Amino acid sequence: MLDAQSAAAAPPVIRREDYRKPDWLMPDVHLEFRLDPARTQVAGRLEVTRNGAHNRPLRLNGDGLTPLAVLIDGEPQADAWRMDGPDLLVDLPGDAHVVETRVEISPEANSQLMGLYASGGNLCTQCEPEGFRRMVFFIDRPDVLSRYTVRMEADKARFPVLLSNGDRTASGDLDGGRHFAEWTDPFPKPSYLFALVAADLAANVDSFTTKSGRPVKLAIWVVEKDLPKTEHAMAALKASMAWDEKVYGREYDLGEFNIVAVADFNFGAMENKSLNIFNSRYILADPETATDIDYDGVSGVVAHEYFHNWSGNRVTCRDWFQLSLKEGFTVFRDQSFTADQGSAAVKRIEDVRLLRAAQFPEDAGPLAHPIRPESYMEVSNFYTATVYNKGAEIIRMLHTMLGPQKFRAGCDLYFARHDGTAATCEDFVVAMEDASGVDLTRFRLWYAQAGTPRIRAALSHEPAGARALLTLEQTVPPTPGQPEKQPMPVPLRIALFGERSGRAFEEERLVVLDGERCEILFEGIAERPVLSINRGFSAPVIIDAARSAADLAFLSAHDDDPFARYEAMQQLMVDTLVGAVSTGQADHGPVIEAVRTTLTDPALDSAFIGETMLLPSEAFIGDQMAVVDPVAIHRAREALRRDLGGQLEGEWRDAYERSRANRFELSPQAKGARRLRTIALGFIMASGAEDAAGIALRQFHEADNMTDRQGAFGVLANSLAPERDVAIAAFYDRFRDNGLVLDKWFSTQAFSIRPDTLDRVEELSRHPDFTLANPNRLRSLVGAMSGNQLVFHEAGGRGYRFLTDMLLEVDGLNPQTAAKLVPPLGRWRRFDEGRAALMKAELQRMLDTPGLSKDVFEQVSKSLA
Ligand code: ZN
């Protein structure tokens, strides 16, 4: 509970139902930036028009700004304006005026990385969601769209490159070694899509011709020495442009498309119109420094930001409650793109693993919210796995239920209707309904209700009548503010397999469970059927089907849906581990046999085998239990790993040898082989074989790519062998000048299961290369530690205290990033009383800290409530 004092200090709650259309519109704006890292002058010239009949003043949002001048229609004003908290209120007599303001800001002092800030000596902006108001007094809300012209001036030697949205319309030299550029963006946009960059960077330049013949100049800007690392991003950009034309009929709409990579960035990347700004980890890749996962991250994020040009920019969001309108849809689009580029099955497995790791716990905890939230204190806290990843699942369900053609027709209608405007989730659903003729009334509940539905599935067989009856029952758990839930339409892809024949009885069915309960009859089922359900993970739900180990092993070997095969193996492993933790008794036999079958199946590709062999995470096992016991879970999981390693040692060694490559390639086959190789290495290590650490160190030293090197490093980091210290030192020496690789050096150690990991993490927090100012570095140490269930939950609460100390320090610099560290502590209800009390005490310590940001306040107060 909040005590009275904290409650009094609580920031106001913004509610979706309070939405009101803007009082003023701003069709044209002109901005002037006199750029300098210490003191930048910003002038805004806003052509405002009264929107409807009212006499309210013009409210211009500000955040930490002091007006140096306010002009109305060219006349300086002394009395026509006043401050209201951070905002500027201007009284305007008529219905249309030109309002000008001037402020001064200091980019180099901006540690929040919102608004205009300095990174690596360059200047860049981040405006979503409310960073624009840290640069200029403005109507900073997404439903006010303006045409922008921008003039930038800067020192030419220091900032030779001046970029903003749209097309460059003028540029030239000025006195005193300065120069200027002017940019015009013909597309009306909200302020959150504005960007500018003043930098000393070089570009990888390329081109793309759209399907209607429009040439587009593509440029990826990075520090010059990193140019060779931009090829993969460029290829991904071109592939994305072509894919959006082919699959969604969407063309690019301007003459240039710029991407800028910066080292300091709060999120992954930002879709500013024609000037995407990226966290450099999602641009730079070469074999020496990037893993295959990094390569996939680059192409996925490049695609995501590019796809936003339509799903986000051409059609934007009316208000921040609609965030999933652009994010859920765009994640679905980037997932589909990646699936089309490589292995769709592996991509689906990875996406579901992420959903379960990040979103299911969120949906089951104190921060649960629907994909379209009802209220917030700080909108930055709602860039969540729910809005993004569950949001994508909800779009995917529409795709599944309507089928690809009607889904595409719905998208076409949505874009046609809402192009150039700010829309709502409701608009999207209506377009889908109108184009398909399908009634989505009940489907809308997916937007409104939080919590992961649970589906109980029971299959009975009547051999005499050759019939099977499947009973499905749905419950949606209560979540904060939503004690009662209605059942939602749940599309489930279902098949039955003959236990003896190993074949499916009929074509897969799509069953939509549209109430609390339904029964489905299958006929012609002569032999005992085995149930394959939620194939392809057709709905973001938890299935409780109580299948035997034998049935799961059968499906893991015979199901013809690759996701379902993976899922059966996971379920078998989870059941085994949960059983071991709760009874203290483990029967590893069925898992070992199922793993053997998959590992030696010549028809399967390595990537799929690798995915299937991964043991469920400790956190995921904990999610299945009434009270999480991190130590028991860890022991049970390591015992299974040891047994798998020992009993299948020969098979792992075979897999290890056959996955050895002669030279580096990025083909799906080569990536799959590298994946399986390191997984096999982990099991060889777990077997306790004497030569294991030596094999790992050899892989570490001989690797010609980061996937193999990092893979071996990860295996060694967990070990007590002396080779571990050799690898730590060698890795550091080799990569000490590469920030992105150093992040791996930190995170790999923080993820270690060694008993001294917390000591090491504390030591690393004092390492000269550690800094709280860079979000990637912070996450690589503190984020990784708090994701290491065994270590974070060490009895005594040292992990909790470390996290809290760090978080409070970061909050003074960068509240948005600090707030993202809160959720692991918010899981206290899931742990034993001792740990729960320690976790709560740390949350309370945060709440009692004077000057806490509203970002952290919101997360902490909700976590304690
Ligand atoms: Zn996005």
Side-chain angles (χ1 to χ4, degrees):
M1 286 307 292
L2 296 181
D3 59 47
Q5 216 184 346
S6 311
V13 173
I14 321 280
R15 290 179 204 286
R16 185 170 71 90
E17 66 195 16
D18 291 343
Y19 174 82
R20 268 204 348 217
K21 68 182 174 60
D23 285 341
W24 294 84
L25 299 177
M26 236 177 2
D28 286 284
V29 306
H30 177 70
L31 306 173
E32 297 202 0
F33 290 83
R34 267 196 212 118
L35 293 157
D36 176 84
R39 299 168 65 207
T40 288
Q41 287 154 17
V42 190
R45 182 179 185 280
L46 321 177
E47 296 186 23
V48 301
T49 59
R50 200 178 294 269
N51 190 27
H54 67 80
N55 52 18
R56 287 183 288 276
L58 171 69
R59 174 179 294 271
L60 297 177
N61 303 114
D63 178 358
L65 300 180
T66 306
L68 301 178
V70 178
L71 292 78
I72 301 174
D73 301 327
E75 296 293 325
Q77 305 289 322
D79 304 325
W81 59 270
R82 62 196 178 277
M83 296 301 288
D84 178 25
D87 295 346
L88 176 70
L89 297 185
V90 188
D91 294 314
L92 293 175
D95 290 341
H97 293 280
V98 176
V99 175
E100 292 170 82
T101 64
R102 272 198 272 288
V103 297
E104 195 174 276
I105 55 180
S106 178
E108 69 185 10
N110 180 352
S111 60
Q112 291 186 32
L113 315 184
M114 287 291 280
L116 180 66
Y117 67 94
S119 176
N122 297 314
L123 300 179
C124 67
T125 55
Q126 172 54 42
C127 296
E128 187 182 10
E130 295 180 337
F132 196 94
R133 62 183 68 182
R134 292 168 51 79
M135 308 190 298
V136 197
F137 284 108
F138 211 73
I139 312 180
D140 191 13
R141 47 187 280 172
D143 59 349
V144 172
L145 277 61
S146 313
R147 272 181 304 272
Y148 286 65
T149 58
V150 180
R151 180 184 166 94
M152 314 161 64
E153 289 181 24
D155 184 83
K156 189 174 182 177
R158 195 155 172 198
F159 302 112
V161 177
L162 301 176
L163 305 171
S164 189
N165 318 90
D167 301 309
R168 195 171 70 172
T169 39
S171 62
D173 290 338
L174 300 167
D175 291 343
R178 293 176 71 81
H179 69 151
F180 78 97
E182 285 177 15
W183 289 78
T184 302
D185 182 355
F187 289 96
K189 65 171 176 290
S191 50
Y192 84 87
L193 291 173
F194 171 83
L196 73 72
V197 172
D200 185 1
L201 294 173
N204 174 358
V205 176
D206 208 322
S207 68
F208 180 85
T209 305
T210 70
K211 67 174 177 184
S212 68
R214 170 198 282 276
V216 184
K217 178 186 163 209
L218 312 176
I220 300 182
W221 299 87
V222 295
V223 288
E224 187 154 17
K225 72 167 173 36
D226 286 334
L227 276 178
K229 297 183 186 165
T230 58
E231 287 307 320
H232 185 68
M234 184 61 87
L237 175 59
K238 290 192 279 185
S240 309
M241 296 176 86
W243 188 90
D244 213 15
E245 292 182 348
K246 188 173 119 228
V247 180
Y248 282 84
R250 300 287 128 199
E251 261 186 81
Y252 189 62
D253 51 11
L254 278 164
E256 49 183 286
F257 188 82
N258 289 291
I259 291 179
V260 176
V262 300
D264 305 281
F265 200 80
N266 283 344
F267 285 79
M270 180 62 212
E271 70 265 24
N272 317 300
K273 184 76 184 186
S274 78
L275 177 52
N276 288 186
I277 297 180
F278 271 63
N279 186 325
S280 55
R281 67 177 296 208
Y282 291 116
I283 289 297
L284 304 179
D286 70 2
E288 166 74 359
T289 58
T291 62
D292 294 335
I293 292 172
D294 295 330
Y295 271 95
D296 291 347
V298 167
S299 37
V301 178
V302 166
H304 179 97
E305 305 310 330
Y306 174 73
F307 296 153
H308 267 316
N309 190 53
W310 276 95
S311 49
N313 301 4
R314 288 288 288 257
V315 181
T316 191
C317 297
R318 187 191 73 173
D319 55 71
W320 293 121
F321 298 103
Q322 318 298 328
L323 186 57
S324 200
L325 174 67
K326 73 177 176 81
E327 295 303 349
F329 187 23
T330 303
V331 171
F332 173 69
R333 279 151 54 71
D334 83 58
Q335 290 176 346
S336 312
F337 165 77
T338 305
D340 283 357
Q341 301 286 110
S343 162
V346 169
K347 175 63 176 160
R348 190 65 187 133
I349 292 169
E350 288 169 351
D351 289 339
V352 173
R353 188 180 291 127
L354 175 66
L355 188 80
R356 285 177 170 153
Q359 199 277 327
F360 277 24
E362 185 169 88
D363 232 355
L367 300 174
H369 52 278
I371 68 159
R372 185 186 54 206
E374 294 298 338
S375 68
Y376 59 74
M377 293 179 198
E378 169 51 62
V379 62
S380 294
N381 287 332
F382 285 80
Y383 288 76
T384 59
T386 297
V387 166
Y388 275 67
N389 303 76
K390 186 177 183 179
E393 294 300 321
I394 285 160
I395 304 299
R396 183 180 297 270
M397 286 191 286
L398 285 171
H399 185 271
T400 302
M401 291 185 339
L402 303 186
Q405 269 120 33
K406 285 179 177 166
F407 179 83
R408 168 66 196 272
C411 292
D412 289 352
L413 185 59
Y414 166 73
F415 287 125
R417 269 186 190 162
H418 302 288
D419 189 10
T421 71
T424 61
C425 295
E426 176 63 15
D427 292 330
F428 186 86
V429 176
V430 170
M432 286 288 153
E433 276 183 323
D434 290 352
S436 68
V438 175
D439 179 356
L440 296 171
T441 307
R442 294 194 57 77
F443 189 82
R444 285 170 170 79
L445 287 165
W446 281 104
Y447 284 87
Q449 296 191 152
T452 308
R454 262 183 189 275
I455 312 293
R456 278 194 40 194
L459 182 67
S460 62
H461 182 221
E462 190 196 316
R467 277 199 295 252
L469 187 69
L470 176 64
T471 310
L472 300 173
E473 280 174 3
Q474 160 174 201
T475 51
V476 189
T479 48
Q482 297 188 330
E484 306 280 340
K485 299 284 171 56
Q486 294 181 56
M488 304 191 276
V490 179
L492 294 168
R493 288 169 44 200
I494 292 174
L496 299 186
F497 287 85
E499 185 181 38
R500 270 174 287 115
S501 62
R503 285 214 307 275
F505 280 110
E506 52 176 70
E507 293 266 289
E508 172 186 282
R509 290 195 197 182
L510 177 66
V511 172
V512 181
L513 167 60
D514 201 359
E516 258 161 36
R517 190 172 191 282
C518 77
E519 289 184 346
I520 302 133
L521 185 66
F522 294 81
E523 291 189 280
I525 312 292
E527 52 175 322
R528 193 180 77 86
V530 179
L531 173 66
S532 172
I533 185 169
N534 206 20
R535 312 178 90 217
F537 203 70
S538 54
V541 298
I542 295 168
I543 301 283
D544 185 356
R547 285 166 295 186
S548 67
D551 281 358
L552 291 170
F554 168 87
L555 288 171
S556 82
H558 297 285
D559 202 312
D560 59 2
D561 176 64
F563 177 82
R565 272 180 91 157
Y566 156 83
E567 185 77 336
M569 179 76 87
Q570 284 292 299
Q571 191 67 52
L572 178 58
M573 289 174 171
V574 167
D575 290 351
T576 303
L577 290 167
V578 170
V581 174
S582 42
T583 66
Q585 308 263 295
D587 175 10
H588 295 159
V591 174
I592 292 169
E593 285 322 305
V595 166
R596 187 199 307 279
T597 304
T598 299
L599 185 55
T600 54
D601 186 338
L604 294 174
D605 62 75
S606 303
F608 176 80
I609 296 176
E611 292 295 335
T612 308
M613 306 287 94
L614 285 181
L615 299 186
S617 71
E618 292 180 5
F620 186 69
I621 301 163
D623 291 343
Q624 319 305 310
M625 317 205 34
V627 177
V628 185
D629 181 343
V631 176
I633 290 171
H634 179 73
R635 289 212 185 109
R637 188 170 178 273
E638 290 309 303
L640 177 59
R641 183 193 294 288
R642 246 190 335 270
D643 257 8
L644 278 165
Q647 305 225 9
L648 302 178
E649 192 183 332
E651 283 84 350
W652 294 121
R653 284 184 190 258
D654 282 352
Y656 189 75
E657 286 311 317
R658 74 169 188 261
S659 308
R660 187 188 293 279
N662 294 323
R663 61 184 178 81
F664 180 80
E665 265 181 51
L666 260 186
S667 64
Q669 293 73 17
K671 285 160 73 178
R674 283 191 288 273
R675 182 111 168 110
L676 181 55
R677 188 156 194 254
T678 287
I679 290 170
L681 178 66
F683 281 106
I684 295 169
M685 197 81 177
S687 76
E690 267 181 21
D691 59 343
I695 297 175
L697 193 63
R698 181 145 30 95
Q699 174 172 325
F700 177 84
H701 283 312
E702 290 176 2
D704 68 349
N705 65 81
M706 182 52 86
T707 306
D708 286 341
R709 181 165 285 120
Q710 154 82 25
F713 185 38
V715 167
L716 286 168
N718 285 333
S719 111
L720 298 170
E723 284 84 347
R724 173 253 190 191
D725 302 326
V726 176
I728 288 180
F731 195 100
Y732 182 78
D733 284 346
R734 189 176 182 118
F735 297 110
R736 58 187 306 159
D737 296 326
N738 185 317
L740 294 174
V741 185
L742 269 192
D743 291 338
K744 300 181 197 302
W745 186 74
F746 280 96
S747 65
T748 303
Q749 296 180 69
F751 273 125
S752 169
I753 56 173
R754 281 169 56 108
D756 62 353
T757 294
L758 258 183
D759 298 326
R760 181 64 183 156
V761 166
E762 286 181 355
E763 189 181 324
L764 285 171
S765 73
R766 295 184 294 269
H767 192 280
D769 288 309
F770 184 71
T771 167
L772 299 174
N774 178 278
N776 291 357
R777 185 60 46 83
L778 175 76
R779 285 189 281 263
S780 75
L781 186 68
V782 183
M785 187 280 296
S786 69
N788 184 337
Q789 180 163 279
L790 178 72
V791 167
F792 179 56
H793 294 285
E794 190 179 290
R798 190 151 63 112
Y800 311 149
R801 280 195 298 280
F802 177 77
L803 176 68
T804 304
D805 289 343
M806 288 288 161
L807 192 155
L808 287 173
E809 227 182 300
V810 177
D811 195 36
L813 298 169
N814 186 337
Q816 207 179 78
T817 294
K820 280 191 272 191
L821 297 173
V822 174
L825 282 171
R827 308 224 169 103
W828 58 271
R829 277 185 191 77
R830 309 275 306 112
F831 290 82
D832 57 274
E833 272 177 35
R835 286 190 174 86
L838 290 165
M839 294 167 86
K840 277 170 74 174
E842 295 303 323
L843 289 166
Q844 190 62 49
R845 174 154 76 96
M846 290 184 213
L847 209 55
D848 294 342
T849 302
L852 201 65
S853 68
K854 75 170 162 174
D855 307 59
V856 172
F857 178 88
E858 176 171 40
Q859 301 300 77
V860 171
S861 58
K862 288 181 174 172
S863 297
L864 280 170

